[in-house]
Amino acid sequence: MKKNRPVNLDIGTIRLPITAYVSILHRVSGVVLVGGILLLLWMLDISLRSEEEFNSIRVSLEQPIYKVILWAILAALAYHLVMGLRHLIMDFGLGETLEGGKLGARLALFLAAVLIILSGVWIWL
Amino acid sequence: MALVTAVTSLGRSGLADWLIQRVTAVVMAAYTIFIVAYLLLNPELSYAQWAELFSQTWMRIFSFAVVLSIVAHGWIGMWVVLTDYITTRLIGGSALFLRTSVLAIYLVINFAFIIWAIEIIWGY
């Protein structure tokens, strides 16, 4: 085999399609959730300890910093869930063509954006 | 059959990992939708009502199934990500050591996570 044959697998030099960005973000949101789930379990722990500690979560969530952190976790969860659903749908053979994949990615991105906005509304209103 | 059976993958085969990833995803999605719906339907949720929900046997089983799903799903996901980005091609000869170390730390975190979750689910 020729040692100096041309190779172009440097992903940084290739213009990526929407499906690639959607996939990379699926990975990023998954890694974020590995940390986020610890915070959610911590909240569950506190919420079940006693009435006082249960109410302390409501008080803590008045602070903007906690609202932002919770929103970030819910955003990652919403995005990851929608993209996972897209995978399940594609496992059944829907949206597997190049155009179908791009359309599915756009629809999933739109649905994820709606859910992320709604979770923000839920936290701030 | 895969040419190389990766010792650190969860199901030891891509097909097993593929299936585990989907089954655990459905369990976690159902739980997420249930909890969000419950919180939306009970905006004035009290401690008594919340504690009552988590004292139900079915809720404890559902919650624990989700905990195990999180661990399995997270392991497969992190394995895929780590074996894609912490590679000899991308970061050099230390990749194998670094990747194995990160997975070892993640294993300990998962173990602690399960113990902690059991304490929460059956402790209150």
Side-chain angles (χ1 to χ4, degrees):
Chain A
M1 196 190 291
K2 261 167 66 181
K3 283 237 168 81
N4 60 346
R5 67 208 167 115
V7 177
N8 185 17
L9 288 175
D10 184 358
I11 213 158
T13 68
I14 303 168
R15 206 174 69 89
L16 301 173
I18 185 171
T19 43
Y21 288 109
V22 155
S23 169
I24 291 164
L25 272 174
H26 194 178
R27 291 179 165 210
V28 171
S29 64
V31 174
V32 167
L33 285 173
V34 165
I37 195 66
L38 295 175
L39 271 158
L40 292 181
L41 189 68
W42 182 54
M43 280 174 70
L44 180 66
D45 190 354
I46 293 170
S47 75
L48 288 171
R49 278 181 191 169
S50 67
E51 182 138 25
E52 290 73 40
E53 305 220 35
F54 177 86
N55 291 329
S56 77
I57 292 182
R58 279 225 171 91
V59 176
S60 296
L61 281 177
E62 300 283 311
Q63 293 191 43
I65 180 71
Y66 288 123
K67 282 181 189 275
V68 171
I69 292 170
L70 185 61
W71 190 44
I73 296 171
L74 290 187
L77 183 62
Y79 181 87
H80 202 79
L81 202 155
V82 170
M83 293 310 154
L85 208 61
R86 174 167 173 263
H87 268 300
L88 289 177
I89 291 169
M90 289 179 86
D91 286 341
F92 285 98
L94 277 108
E96 280 185 324
T97 61
L98 182 59
E99 283 312 308
K102 283 180 179 170
L103 178 66
R106 280 196 205 98
L107 286 174
L109 212 51
F110 176 75
L111 183 59
V114 169
L115 288 177
I116 289 168
I117 291 167
L118 285 178
S119 62
V121 170
W122 192 22
I123 289 170
W124 270 277
L125 293 182
Chain B
M1 209 41 219
L3 289 172
V4 179
T5 303
V7 71
T8 48
S9 89
L10 186 74
R12 304 298 283 280
S13 89
L15 195 60
D17 281 6
W18 179 88
L19 184 63
I20 295 167
Q21 204 67 344
R22 276 146 185 82
V23 173
T24 53
V26 170
V27 173
M28 293 186 293
Y31 194 79
T32 303
I33 292 165
F34 170 72
I35 292 286
V36 169
Y38 187 86
L39 291 176
L40 284 173
L41 292 171
N42 297 283
E44 301 299 315
L45 185 70
S46 71
Y47 171 72
Q49 195 185 350
W50 185 242
E52 161 74 13
L53 172 69
F54 277 88
S55 70
Q56 304 286 324
T57 301
W58 66 267
M59 190 59 185
R60 285 180 164 153
I61 294 168
F62 196 8
S63 299
F64 193 57
V66 167
V67 167
L68 296 181
S69 294
I70 289 166
V71 169
H73 195 96
W75 186 269
I76 293 168
M78 289 297 281
W79 184 86
V80 167
V81 169
L82 289 170
T83 52
D84 269 358
Y85 304 122
I86 305 190
T87 62
T88 311
R89 186 179 72 82
L90 286 177
I91 68 159
S94 60
L96 179 64
F97 177 75
L98 185 65
R99 199 171 67 233
T100 312
S101 303
V102 173
L103 280 174
I105 293 165
Y106 188 50
L107 180 74
V108 174
I109 292 171
N110 274 321
F111 185 68
F113 179 77
I114 292 173
I115 304 285
W116 183 23
I118 289 172
E119 284 184 345
I120 294 168
I121 295 169
W122 276 279
Y124 298 117

